[in-house]
Amino acid sequence: MVKEETIWITQTDLERLGNLIGLVRNQQVRQLFSYIERLEEKLEFAEVAASENIPSNVITMRSKARLKDLDSGEETVYSLVFPTEAESEEGKLSILSPLATAILGCQLGDTVEFQAPSRLRRLKILEILYQPEAAGDYNL
C-alpha cells in the first residue's frame, strides 16, 4: 500500500486553484465535476505554506518532474499546468487530469496511485527537474 505523506501546496497555488474550481462550478462544466471534487479533497488536507517556504522537493504548479510507472517501467517527464496551458504532446498536464491531481503536493521519492481511464496506475517520483519556488520564480 502507498504510504500517506504530507501534501504541500503554496498559498498562491491554493488561491489560483480555488479560483479555477469556482470558475468550473460557475460555468456548470459537469464533465469536470469529478476532477474538481478530487482536487478539492486534496487541497482540503494539504499543508499550506508561503512560496518562499515550500520545500524544494515538492511538486507545485508548473513544476516539471520525471516519473516512473511501476508496472511498465516506463519513465516520463510531466509539467503541471493550468487547463489553458495543457499540451499533452509536450507533457504539460492540466491540473484537472487524474495524474496531475495525484502528484500535486507530493514529494521526491513518493509513490502515487490514481485511477486512469483504463486501469489503476502506480508512479514513483524520481526527480523534480524544475520547481518554480526553488528557482525563485514566485509569480509564474
Side-chain angles (χ1 to χ4, degrees):
M1 189 64 195
V2 177
K3 184 172 90 173
E4 286 297 318
E5 299 286 342
T6 299
I7 303 302
W8 290 89
I9 189 156
T10 67
Q11 183 65 43
T12 302
D13 285 349
L14 182 64
E15 291 168 9
R16 289 177 178 165
L17 292 171
N19 290 338
L20 174 63
I21 290 167
L23 183 66
V24 170
R25 289 207 183 279
N26 287 340
Q27 291 181 350
Q28 299 288 313
V29 185
R30 297 207 186 284
Q31 66 267 30
L32 296 179
F33 280 6
S34 65
Y35 300 119
I36 290 294
E37 287 170 1
R38 270 184 280 198
L39 182 57
E40 283 179 316
E41 184 178 305
K42 185 147 198 174
L43 296 177
E44 183 180 338
F45 296 104
E47 292 287 332
V48 181
S51 295
E52 301 82 19
N53 298 329
I54 204 85
S56 62
N57 66 338
V58 171
I59 296 178
T60 60
M61 287 302 299
R62 298 204 173 90
S63 288
K64 186 178 207 176
R66 187 167 54 93
L67 308 174
K68 181 177 184 174
D69 186 304
L70 295 177
D71 297 316
S72 71
E74 181 182 354
E75 292 184 15
T76 313
V77 173
Y78 295 108
S79 297
L80 264 60
V81 297
F82 290 91
T84 58
E85 304 163 325
E87 201 62 55
S88 60
E89 300 84 39
E90 296 177 21
K92 294 180 178 179
L93 297 178
S94 166
I95 188 58
L96 298 181
S97 72
L99 172 54
T101 299
I103 65 173
L104 176 68
C106 293
Q107 300 177 36
L108 181 66
D110 283 356
T111 297
V112 295
E113 285 184 356
F114 71 98
Q115 185 63 50
S118 60
R119 64 184 170 95
L120 183 69
R121 293 189 63 197
R122 297 178 315 121
L123 299 167
K124 183 172 181 86
I125 301 168
L126 296 179
E127 184 179 9
I128 297 178
L129 302 166
Y130 172 74
Q131 186 214 56
E133 296 76 17
D137 298 331
Y138 301 123
N139 297 311
L140 289 183

